């Protein structure tokens, strides 16, 4: 049995909703709202398990930075750690959040950089 729920948004919320909907590529606003809501309810257990090795690799990099004794650190290592964290967080969020992030950053370029290191 289908049910209809009325949701009232203030102007600021409506503006954010419209931007997120446009970025998502989902055809209907109600479909977009349902997708975001149900994506948030899903446990991303599989994704979190997949990034465990990435966490280990990042931990090793952070440990090397700490052991180097260089107060300024290694800029390349810092960039690698930041890129790795971004990729891991991106994998752990729903499709709608990923679509918004992809508008700002090219994940393929970030992953290529990490693979080249």
């Amino acid at each position: 049995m289908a049910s209809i729920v009325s949701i009232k948004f203030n102007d600021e919320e409506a503006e954010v909703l419209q931007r997120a909907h446009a970025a998502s590529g989902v055809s209907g606003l109600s479909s977009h709202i349902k997708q975001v809501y149900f994506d948030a309810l899903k446990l991303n257990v599989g994704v979190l398990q997949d990034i465990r090795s990435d966490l280990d690799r990042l931990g090793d990099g952070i440990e090397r930075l700490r052991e180097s004794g260089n107060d300024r650190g290694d800029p390349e290592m810092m960039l690698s750690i930041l890129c790795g964290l971004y990729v891991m967080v991106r994998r752990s969020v729903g499709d709608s959040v990923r679509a918004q992030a992809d508008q700002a950053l090219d994940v393929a370029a970030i992953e290529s950089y990490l693979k080249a290191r």
Side-chain angles (χ1 to χ4, degrees):
M1 169 167 56
S3 64
I4 297 174
V5 177
S6 296
I7 303 172
K8 184 175 181 176
F9 296 100
N10 64 34
D11 292 340
E12 184 179 325
E13 293 168 335
E15 184 179 322
V16 170
L17 178 63
Q18 291 299 328
R19 282 197 313 263
H21 176 236
S24 72
V26 176
S27 60
L29 183 59
S30 63
S31 296
H32 168 70
I33 292 170
K34 288 190 284 187
Q35 179 183 8
V36 171
Y37 177 79
F38 289 112
D39 275 356
L41 292 178
K42 289 180 189 173
L43 290 176
N44 291 313
V45 174
V47 173
L48 293 175
Q49 289 173 343
D50 291 343
I51 62 175
R52 189 168 303 214
S53 65
D54 294 337
L55 275 174
D56 291 340
R57 191 173 53 226
L58 287 172
D60 292 342
I62 292 169
E63 188 62 32
R64 282 197 310 259
L65 278 175
R66 194 173 352 167
E67 291 173 353
S68 73
N70 183 352
D71 290 340
R72 297 181 66 206
D74 177 2
E76 288 289 320
M77 181 63 71
M78 293 295 281
L79 182 59
S80 294
I81 291 170
L82 179 62
C83 288
L85 287 171
Y86 173 77
V87 169
M88 289 176 8
V89 169
R90 184 184 175 279
R91 288 182 192 165
S92 69
V93 298
D95 292 337
S96 59
V97 174
R98 226 175 280 128
Q100 291 178 45
D102 289 348
Q103 289 183 338
L105 295 171
D106 180 3
V107 73
I110 293 171
E111 289 174 335
S112 294
Y113 170 79
L114 289 172
K115 288 176 184 171
R117 294 251 327 135

